[in-house]
Amino acid sequence: MTSNETAPVAVIGLGDMGAALAGALLKAGHPTTVWNRTPHKADPLVEQGATRAASAAAAVAAAPLVVACVLDDAALRQALGGADLDGRTLVNLTNGTPAHARVAAAWAAEQGADYLDGGIMAVPAMIGGADCRVIYSGPRAVFDEHAPTLGAFGEARYAGADPGLAALHDLALLSGMYGLISGFLHAVAMVRSAGEKSGEFTTAELVPWVSGMTAILPTLAEQVDSGDFATEGSNLGMQAAGYANILDAARDAGLSTELMAPLGTLMNRYLEAGGAPGNDLSALVGMLHTTGA
Ligand code: FVH
């Protein structure tokens, strides 16, 4: 993969993330044209060498590669509604669903544009750094053509030709993150109910515990893929009984169980439906399919 620092790029949307993306492109040497609905957000980037476009259409006209990162799918349509995308490559880094991505790809194709969808697995401060990963989906040749430029943001990872795949991976990864945050919120609420500070508990106990527990995920994933959920360690029957104690203790402490109750409900539904109590938690994944998939 060769570097391509002189490729011009247009960036649509200069919120926290769009501004970070434009900054990374400038730092990598790309002539960068920027547009934002609220114009003053372009000022710091113009000081760094970006060209300010008077409209989204003008920004699109300025560069063959257009990176869009706005609030949501509706904002994307509003921002690019009047632009002529013919002959352009639109890289949409706006958070959305796989369905949004597929519709956007079809919309871009109608206008004569190539389309890549992207999911940014980073916060703005990480853009351009070693820990930033962006997942892309769309035609492989389009990804390969622009990967050197997109590499300015961080690792560019290709998920597949279906334009919805980047959003699918993005939302799946965010699901894992929000599950972690849910557990964190409930855990610190529990220790705070006893008058303890959350900081010491989090660094000394929670982080080491949760970090260690991530090591079981590949084993659970293997069980999901093989369909053999039998465990030699922590069976579901035991876990369901212990899980009820989490909920009871929370209620006793005057805490809501709304973050934790759903997993307990799922375990009980599995066991009540005749699921094997000797299986591991991985067996619950089948309970999440509502359409027989
Ligand atoms: N920031 C983050 O941590 C996450 C990391 C992972 C990816 N997300 C997604 O990135 C998209 C943009 O997020 P953001 O952090 O830049 O968000 P804001 O700072 O709130 O900026 C929003 C921009 O969207 C523009 N915008 C909103 N509505 C419209 C519209 N109707 N027409 C044109 N532009 C619109 C807004 O413009 P303005 O309010 O400044 O005029 C900002 O440029 C997002 O999908 C995240 O989920 C970020």
Side-chain angles (χ1 to χ4, degrees), residues 15-16 46 60 67 89 104 147 222 231 247 253 260 273:
D16 293 332
V46 170
V60 169
V67 174
T89 296
E222 275 173 31
T231 178
L247 304 179
M260 302 301 287

Short mmCIF file of all heavy atoms in Angstrom, two decimals, residues 15-16 46 60 67 89 104 147 222 231 247 253 260 273:
data_model
loop_
_atom_site.label_atom_id
_atom_site.label_comp_id
_atom_site.label_asym_id
_atom_site.label_seq_id
_atom_site.Cartn_x
_atom_site.Cartn_y
_atom_site.Cartn_z
N GLY A 15 -18.12 18.45 13.66
CA GLY A 15 -18.35 18.29 15.09
C GLY A 15 -17.06 17.77 15.71
O GLY A 15 -15.97 17.83 15.10
N ASP A 16 -17.15 17.23 16.90
CA ASP A 16 -15.93 16.75 17.57
C ASP A 16 -15.19 15.75 16.70
O ASP A 16 -13.95 15.79 16.58
CB ASP A 16 -16.30 16.10 18.91
CG ASP A 16 -16.84 17.12 19.89
OD1 ASP A 16 -16.47 18.31 19.79
OD2 ASP A 16 -17.66 16.73 20.74
N VAL A 46 -9.13 25.95 9.34
CA VAL A 46 -8.63 26.88 8.32
C VAL A 46 -7.28 27.44 8.78
O VAL A 46 -6.34 27.57 7.98
CB VAL A 46 -9.67 28.00 8.07
CG1 VAL A 46 -9.08 29.11 7.20
CG2 VAL A 46 -10.92 27.40 7.40
N VAL A 60 -17.95 19.22 -1.89
CA VAL A 60 -17.96 17.99 -2.69
C VAL A 60 -17.31 18.24 -4.06
O VAL A 60 -16.57 17.38 -4.58
CB VAL A 60 -19.42 17.47 -2.85
CG1 VAL A 60 -19.50 16.37 -3.89
CG2 VAL A 60 -19.94 16.98 -1.49
N VAL A 67 -15.41 12.71 2.73
CA VAL A 67 -15.62 12.04 4.02
C VAL A 67 -16.72 12.79 4.75
O VAL A 67 -16.59 14.00 4.98
CB VAL A 67 -14.32 12.04 4.85
CG1 VAL A 67 -14.58 11.46 6.24
CG2 VAL A 67 -13.23 11.24 4.14
N THR A 89 -16.19 9.59 -4.54
CA THR A 89 -16.30 8.49 -3.59
C THR A 89 -16.73 9.07 -2.27
O THR A 89 -16.05 9.96 -1.72
CB THR A 89 -14.95 7.77 -3.41
OG1 THR A 89 -14.58 7.16 -4.65
CG2 THR A 89 -15.06 6.67 -2.35
N ALA A 104 -27.98 4.27 1.80
CA ALA A 104 -27.05 5.34 1.40
C ALA A 104 -26.19 4.89 0.23
O ALA A 104 -25.90 5.68 -0.68
CB ALA A 104 -26.17 5.74 2.59
N ALA A 147 -7.61 3.35 0.77
CA ALA A 147 -7.05 2.96 2.07
C ALA A 147 -5.82 3.78 2.48
O ALA A 147 -5.67 4.14 3.66
CB ALA A 147 -6.74 1.47 2.10
N GLU A 222 -16.33 -19.77 20.93
CA GLU A 222 -16.15 -21.10 20.32
C GLU A 222 -17.38 -21.97 20.58
O GLU A 222 -17.83 -22.72 19.72
CB GLU A 222 -14.92 -21.79 20.91
CG GLU A 222 -13.63 -21.42 20.22
CD GLU A 222 -12.42 -22.00 20.95
OE1 GLU A 222 -12.55 -23.08 21.57
OE2 GLU A 222 -11.36 -21.36 20.90
N THR A 231 -20.27 -26.79 29.78
CA THR A 231 -19.17 -26.14 30.49
C THR A 231 -18.63 -27.06 31.55
O THR A 231 -19.35 -27.89 32.12
CB THR A 231 -19.63 -24.83 31.15
OG1 THR A 231 -18.53 -24.26 31.87
CG2 THR A 231 -20.77 -25.05 32.14
N LEU A 247 -29.72 -9.22 42.11
CA LEU A 247 -30.95 -8.42 42.01
C LEU A 247 -31.56 -8.19 43.39
O LEU A 247 -31.99 -7.08 43.71
CB LEU A 247 -31.95 -9.12 41.08
CG LEU A 247 -31.42 -9.42 39.66
CD1 LEU A 247 -32.49 -10.13 38.83
CD2 LEU A 247 -30.96 -8.14 38.96
N ALA A 253 -30.76 -2.67 48.78
CA ALA A 253 -29.98 -1.44 48.95
C ALA A 253 -30.71 -0.23 48.38
O ALA A 253 -30.15 0.86 48.32
CB ALA A 253 -28.62 -1.61 48.27
N MET A 260 -29.58 -4.64 35.19
CA MET A 260 -29.13 -6.02 35.37
C MET A 260 -30.25 -7.05 35.16
O MET A 260 -29.97 -8.22 34.84
CB MET A 260 -28.54 -6.20 36.77
CG MET A 260 -27.38 -5.29 37.09
SD MET A 260 -26.00 -5.50 35.94
CE MET A 260 -25.36 -7.07 36.50
N ALA A 273 -37.61 -22.98 29.68
CA ALA A 273 -37.92 -23.59 28.38
C ALA A 273 -37.27 -24.97 28.23
O ALA A 273 -37.33 -25.59 27.16
CB ALA A 273 -37.44 -22.67 27.25
#
